[in-house]
Amino acid sequence: MLSLLSAQESSVVIDQLAAKNITASPLADAAERQSWDSFGDSITLEQATALQADGTSAMHWASLWGNEAILDRLIQIGAKLDQENDYGVTPLYLACERGHDACVRKLIQAG
């Protein structure tokens, strides 16, 4: 989308996203695609908590897909457990909705 805008327009959009604490989130994007190899030992809290444009985080995607190992890693780093995206959806809701009981237990125990 940003490539269709002028440099000035792109700058305005980026500033507006930054004001909402929304940054580029390669980690959440990778989790959405289930590209779990992106989740190495060097993940920072900033990377783990970066949000996609709709407020979805890597924690949301790990919960949706039921990936316990990634969920453990994100919890260990200190990623926010109860982050709501723009639709009011939390990682716990997604884990419950998808029937990922082990992820539900992990989220409840951690939070």
Side-chain angles (χ1 to χ4, degrees), residues 58-94:
M59 182 79 75
H60 283 93
W61 291 112
S63 298
L64 176 85
W65 298 124
N67 191 312
E68 296 174 50
I70 298 301
L71 201 59
D72 282 338
R73 181 74 180 117
L74 293 169
I75 290 168
Q76 178 187 33
I77 293 168
K80 189 172 180 184
L81 300 170
D82 59 351
Q83 175 72 46
E84 288 186 14
N85 64 16
D86 291 352
Y87 310 103
V89 176
T90 64
L92 180 59
Y93 174 84
L94 292 170

Short mmCIF file of all heavy atoms in Angstrom, two decimals, residues 58-94:
data_model
loop_
_atom_site.label_atom_id
_atom_site.label_comp_id
_atom_site.label_asym_id
_atom_site.label_seq_id
_atom_site.Cartn_x
_atom_site.Cartn_y
_atom_site.Cartn_z
N ALA A 58 2.41 -11.62 17.48
CA ALA A 58 2.89 -13.00 17.32
C ALA A 58 2.20 -13.93 18.33
O ALA A 58 1.92 -15.09 18.02
CB ALA A 58 4.40 -13.05 17.48
N MET A 59 1.91 -13.40 19.53
CA MET A 59 1.21 -14.19 20.55
C MET A 59 -0.18 -14.62 20.05
O MET A 59 -0.61 -15.75 20.30
CB MET A 59 1.09 -13.37 21.84
CG MET A 59 0.43 -14.09 22.99
SD MET A 59 1.51 -15.24 23.85
CE MET A 59 2.53 -14.13 24.77
N HIS A 60 -0.86 -13.73 19.35
CA HIS A 60 -2.16 -14.08 18.77
C HIS A 60 -2.02 -15.26 17.82
O HIS A 60 -2.78 -16.22 17.88
CB HIS A 60 -2.75 -12.89 17.99
CG HIS A 60 -3.34 -11.81 18.82
ND1 HIS A 60 -2.62 -10.71 19.22
CD2 HIS A 60 -4.58 -11.66 19.31
CE1 HIS A 60 -3.41 -9.91 19.92
NE2 HIS A 60 -4.61 -10.46 19.99
N TRP A 61 -1.03 -15.16 16.92
CA TRP A 61 -0.87 -16.20 15.90
C TRP A 61 -0.44 -17.52 16.50
O TRP A 61 -0.94 -18.58 16.10
CB TRP A 61 0.09 -15.73 14.81
CG TRP A 61 -0.50 -14.63 13.99
CD1 TRP A 61 -0.10 -13.32 13.94
CD2 TRP A 61 -1.62 -14.72 13.12
NE1 TRP A 61 -0.90 -12.61 13.10
CE2 TRP A 61 -1.85 -13.44 12.58
CE3 TRP A 61 -2.48 -15.77 12.75
CZ2 TRP A 61 -2.89 -13.18 11.68
CZ3 TRP A 61 -3.51 -15.50 11.85
CH2 TRP A 61 -3.70 -14.22 11.33
N ALA A 62 0.47 -17.50 17.46
CA ALA A 62 0.89 -18.74 18.11
C ALA A 62 -0.30 -19.42 18.80
O ALA A 62 -0.43 -20.64 18.78
CB ALA A 62 2.01 -18.46 19.10
N SER A 63 -1.16 -18.60 19.40
CA SER A 63 -2.35 -19.13 20.07
C SER A 63 -3.34 -19.69 19.06
O SER A 63 -3.93 -20.76 19.27
CB SER A 63 -3.02 -18.03 20.89
OG SER A 63 -2.15 -17.57 21.89
N LEU A 64 -3.53 -18.98 17.96
CA LEU A 64 -4.46 -19.42 16.91
C LEU A 64 -4.02 -20.76 16.32
O LEU A 64 -4.83 -21.66 16.14
CB LEU A 64 -4.55 -18.37 15.80
CG LEU A 64 -5.41 -18.77 14.61
CD1 LEU A 64 -6.87 -18.45 14.89
CD2 LEU A 64 -4.94 -18.08 13.36
N TRP A 65 -2.72 -20.87 16.04
CA TRP A 65 -2.21 -22.09 15.40
C TRP A 65 -1.91 -23.19 16.41
O TRP A 65 -1.60 -24.32 16.03
CB TRP A 65 -0.96 -21.78 14.59
CG TRP A 65 -1.17 -20.82 13.46
CD1 TRP A 65 -0.51 -19.64 13.26
CD2 TRP A 65 -2.09 -20.92 12.38
NE1 TRP A 65 -0.96 -19.01 12.13
CE2 TRP A 65 -1.94 -19.79 11.57
CE3 TRP A 65 -3.05 -21.88 12.02
CZ2 TRP A 65 -2.71 -19.57 10.42
CZ3 TRP A 65 -3.81 -21.65 10.87
CH2 TRP A 65 -3.63 -20.52 10.09
N GLY A 66 -1.96 -22.88 17.72
CA GLY A 66 -1.72 -23.91 18.73
C GLY A 66 -0.27 -24.31 18.87
O GLY A 66 0.04 -25.44 19.24
N ASN A 67 0.63 -23.38 18.61
CA ASN A 67 2.06 -23.69 18.70
C ASN A 67 2.55 -23.43 20.12
O ASN A 67 2.90 -22.31 20.49
CB ASN A 67 2.85 -22.87 17.69
CG ASN A 67 4.27 -23.36 17.56
OD1 ASN A 67 4.95 -23.57 18.55
ND2 ASN A 67 4.72 -23.54 16.33
N GLU A 68 2.59 -24.48 20.91
CA GLU A 68 2.97 -24.38 22.33
C GLU A 68 4.41 -23.93 22.52
O GLU A 68 4.69 -23.14 23.43
CB GLU A 68 2.76 -25.73 23.02
CG GLU A 68 1.32 -26.18 23.06
CD GLU A 68 1.20 -27.58 23.61
OE1 GLU A 68 1.77 -27.84 24.70
OE2 GLU A 68 0.54 -28.41 22.96
N ALA A 69 5.32 -24.41 21.71
CA ALA A 69 6.73 -24.05 21.86
C ALA A 69 6.94 -22.55 21.64
O ALA A 69 7.66 -21.90 22.40
CB ALA A 69 7.59 -24.86 20.89
N ILE A 70 6.30 -22.00 20.62
CA ILE A 70 6.42 -20.57 20.35
C ILE A 70 5.73 -19.78 21.44
O ILE A 70 6.23 -18.75 21.89
CB ILE A 70 5.87 -20.22 18.95
CG1 ILE A 70 6.67 -20.93 17.87
CG2 ILE A 70 5.84 -18.71 18.74
CD1 ILE A 70 8.15 -20.60 17.84
N LEU A 71 4.59 -20.25 21.87
CA LEU A 71 3.88 -19.58 22.97
C LEU A 71 4.76 -19.53 24.22
O LEU A 71 4.88 -18.48 24.86
CB LEU A 71 2.58 -20.34 23.25
CG LEU A 71 1.48 -19.58 23.97
CD1 LEU A 71 1.06 -18.35 23.20
CD2 LEU A 71 0.29 -20.49 24.17
N ASP A 72 5.41 -20.64 24.53
CA ASP A 72 6.34 -20.67 25.68
C ASP A 72 7.44 -19.64 25.51
O ASP A 72 7.79 -18.93 26.45
CB ASP A 72 6.98 -22.06 25.82
CG ASP A 72 6.07 -23.09 26.45
OD1 ASP A 72 5.12 -22.70 27.16
OD2 ASP A 72 6.33 -24.29 26.24
N ARG A 73 8.00 -19.57 24.31
CA ARG A 73 9.09 -18.62 24.04
C ARG A 73 8.62 -17.17 24.21
O ARG A 73 9.29 -16.35 24.82
CB ARG A 73 9.62 -18.85 22.61
CG ARG A 73 10.75 -17.96 22.23
CD ARG A 73 12.04 -18.39 22.92
NE ARG A 73 13.10 -17.50 22.53
CZ ARG A 73 13.76 -16.70 23.38
NH1 ARG A 73 13.48 -16.72 24.66
NH2 ARG A 73 14.70 -15.90 22.95
N LEU A 74 7.45 -16.85 23.69
CA LEU A 74 6.92 -15.49 23.81
C LEU A 74 6.59 -15.14 25.26
O LEU A 74 6.84 -14.02 25.71
CB LEU A 74 5.68 -15.33 22.92
CG LEU A 74 5.95 -15.41 21.42
CD1 LEU A 74 4.64 -15.51 20.64
CD2 LEU A 74 6.78 -14.22 20.95
N ILE A 75 6.07 -16.10 26.01
CA ILE A 75 5.79 -15.88 27.43
C ILE A 75 7.10 -15.65 28.18
O ILE A 75 7.21 -14.74 29.00
CB ILE A 75 5.00 -17.08 28.02
CG1 ILE A 75 3.57 -17.10 27.46
CG2 ILE A 75 4.99 -17.02 29.55
CD1 ILE A 75 2.81 -18.38 27.75
N GLN A 76 8.12 -16.46 27.88
CA GLN A 76 9.43 -16.33 28.52
C GLN A 76 10.04 -14.95 28.26
O GLN A 76 10.62 -14.34 29.17
CB GLN A 76 10.36 -17.42 27.99
CG GLN A 76 11.76 -17.36 28.54
CD GLN A 76 12.68 -18.36 27.85
OE1 GLN A 76 12.52 -18.64 26.66
NE2 GLN A 76 13.63 -18.89 28.59
N ILE A 77 9.87 -14.43 27.06
CA ILE A 77 10.41 -13.12 26.71
C ILE A 77 9.66 -12.00 27.44
O ILE A 77 10.22 -10.95 27.71
CB ILE A 77 10.33 -12.90 25.18
CG1 ILE A 77 11.27 -13.85 24.47
CG2 ILE A 77 10.65 -11.47 24.79
CD1 ILE A 77 11.05 -13.91 22.97
N GLY A 78 8.39 -12.24 27.74
CA GLY A 78 7.59 -11.23 28.42
C GLY A 78 6.57 -10.55 27.53
O GLY A 78 6.09 -9.46 27.84
N ALA A 79 6.22 -11.19 26.41
CA ALA A 79 5.21 -10.62 25.51
C ALA A 79 3.88 -10.50 26.24
O ALA A 79 3.56 -11.29 27.13
CB ALA A 79 5.05 -11.52 24.28
N LYS A 80 3.13 -9.49 25.87
CA LYS A 80 1.85 -9.20 26.53
C LYS A 80 0.85 -10.32 26.25
O LYS A 80 0.57 -10.66 25.11
CB LYS A 80 1.31 -7.86 26.04
CG LYS A 80 0.13 -7.37 26.81
CD LYS A 80 -0.24 -5.95 26.42
CE LYS A 80 -1.44 -5.50 27.24
NZ LYS A 80 -1.88 -4.18 26.83
N LEU A 81 0.30 -10.87 27.32
CA LEU A 81 -0.60 -12.01 27.21
C LEU A 81 -2.02 -11.62 26.83
O LEU A 81 -2.73 -12.38 26.20
CB LEU A 81 -0.66 -12.76 28.55
CG LEU A 81 0.64 -13.34 29.08
CD1 LEU A 81 0.46 -13.83 30.49
CD2 LEU A 81 1.14 -14.44 28.17
N ASP A 82 -2.44 -10.44 27.25
CA ASP A 82 -3.84 -10.05 27.07
C ASP A 82 -4.03 -8.94 26.04
O ASP A 82 -5.00 -8.20 26.07
CB ASP A 82 -4.45 -9.64 28.40
CG ASP A 82 -3.73 -8.47 29.05
OD1 ASP A 82 -2.65 -8.07 28.56
OD2 ASP A 82 -4.24 -7.95 30.06
N GLN A 83 -3.11 -8.85 25.10
CA GLN A 83 -3.19 -7.83 24.04
C GLN A 83 -4.45 -8.05 23.20
O GLN A 83 -4.64 -9.13 22.65
CB GLN A 83 -1.95 -7.93 23.14
CG GLN A 83 -1.98 -7.00 21.94
CD GLN A 83 -1.79 -5.56 22.34
OE1 GLN A 83 -0.91 -5.25 23.13
NE2 GLN A 83 -2.62 -4.68 21.82
N GLU A 84 -5.29 -7.04 23.13
CA GLU A 84 -6.45 -7.11 22.26
C GLU A 84 -6.09 -6.50 20.90
O GLU A 84 -5.44 -5.47 20.85
CB GLU A 84 -7.63 -6.31 22.83
CG GLU A 84 -8.29 -6.96 24.01
CD GLU A 84 -9.54 -6.20 24.46
OE1 GLU A 84 -10.04 -5.34 23.71
OE2 GLU A 84 -10.01 -6.49 25.56
N ASN A 85 -6.51 -7.17 19.83
CA ASN A 85 -6.32 -6.55 18.52
C ASN A 85 -7.49 -5.61 18.26
O ASN A 85 -8.33 -5.38 19.15
CB ASN A 85 -6.13 -7.61 17.41
CG ASN A 85 -7.35 -8.48 17.20
OD1 ASN A 85 -8.46 -8.17 17.63
ND2 ASN A 85 -7.16 -9.59 16.51
N ASP A 86 -7.57 -5.04 17.08
CA ASP A 86 -8.61 -4.06 16.77
C ASP A 86 -10.02 -4.65 16.82
O ASP A 86 -11.00 -3.91 16.84
CB ASP A 86 -8.37 -3.44 15.40
CG ASP A 86 -7.15 -2.54 15.36
OD1 ASP A 86 -6.57 -2.27 16.44
OD2 ASP A 86 -6.78 -2.10 14.26
N TYR A 87 -10.13 -5.96 16.84
CA TYR A 87 -11.42 -6.63 16.88
C TYR A 87 -11.79 -7.07 18.30
O TYR A 87 -12.79 -7.75 18.50
CB TYR A 87 -11.41 -7.84 15.93
CG TYR A 87 -10.92 -7.47 14.56
CD1 TYR A 87 -9.63 -7.82 14.17
CD2 TYR A 87 -11.70 -6.74 13.69
CE1 TYR A 87 -9.15 -7.46 12.91
CE2 TYR A 87 -11.22 -6.36 12.43
CZ TYR A 87 -9.94 -6.72 12.07
OH TYR A 87 -9.46 -6.35 10.84
N GLY A 88 -10.94 -6.71 19.27
CA GLY A 88 -11.18 -7.08 20.66
C GLY A 88 -10.79 -8.51 20.98
O GLY A 88 -11.17 -9.04 22.02
N VAL A 89 -10.02 -9.14 20.11
CA VAL A 89 -9.65 -10.54 20.26
C VAL A 89 -8.30 -10.66 20.96
O VAL A 89 -7.35 -9.97 20.61
CB VAL A 89 -9.60 -11.24 18.88
CG1 VAL A 89 -9.12 -12.67 19.00
CG2 VAL A 89 -10.97 -11.19 18.22
N THR A 90 -8.24 -11.54 21.95
CA THR A 90 -7.00 -11.79 22.69
C THR A 90 -6.43 -13.16 22.30
O THR A 90 -7.15 -14.01 21.76
CB THR A 90 -7.26 -11.80 24.21
OG1 THR A 90 -8.15 -12.89 24.51
CG2 THR A 90 -7.86 -10.48 24.69
N PRO A 91 -5.16 -13.38 22.63
CA PRO A 91 -4.58 -14.72 22.39
C PRO A 91 -5.37 -15.83 23.11
O PRO A 91 -5.58 -16.90 22.53
CB PRO A 91 -3.16 -14.59 22.94
CG PRO A 91 -2.83 -13.14 22.71
CD PRO A 91 -4.12 -12.43 23.04
N LEU A 92 -5.82 -15.57 24.32
CA LEU A 92 -6.58 -16.58 25.06
C LEU A 92 -7.87 -16.93 24.33
O LEU A 92 -8.23 -18.10 24.22
CB LEU A 92 -6.88 -16.10 26.49
CG LEU A 92 -7.67 -17.06 27.37
CD1 LEU A 92 -6.95 -18.39 27.53
CD2 LEU A 92 -7.94 -16.42 28.73
N TYR A 93 -8.55 -15.94 23.83
CA TYR A 93 -9.78 -16.19 23.07
C TYR A 93 -9.50 -17.10 21.88
O TYR A 93 -10.23 -18.05 21.63
CB TYR A 93 -10.41 -14.87 22.60
CG TYR A 93 -11.59 -15.09 21.69
CD1 TYR A 93 -12.85 -15.32 22.22
CD2 TYR A 93 -11.44 -15.11 20.31
CE1 TYR A 93 -13.94 -15.55 21.39
CE2 TYR A 93 -12.51 -15.35 19.47
CZ TYR A 93 -13.76 -15.56 20.01
OH TYR A 93 -14.83 -15.80 19.19
N LEU A 94 -8.43 -16.80 21.14
CA LEU A 94 -8.10 -17.59 19.95
C LEU A 94 -7.78 -19.04 20.31
O LEU A 94 -8.21 -19.97 19.64
CB LEU A 94 -6.94 -16.95 19.20
CG LEU A 94 -7.26 -15.61 18.53
CD1 LEU A 94 -5.98 -14.96 18.03
CD2 LEU A 94 -8.26 -15.80 17.40
#
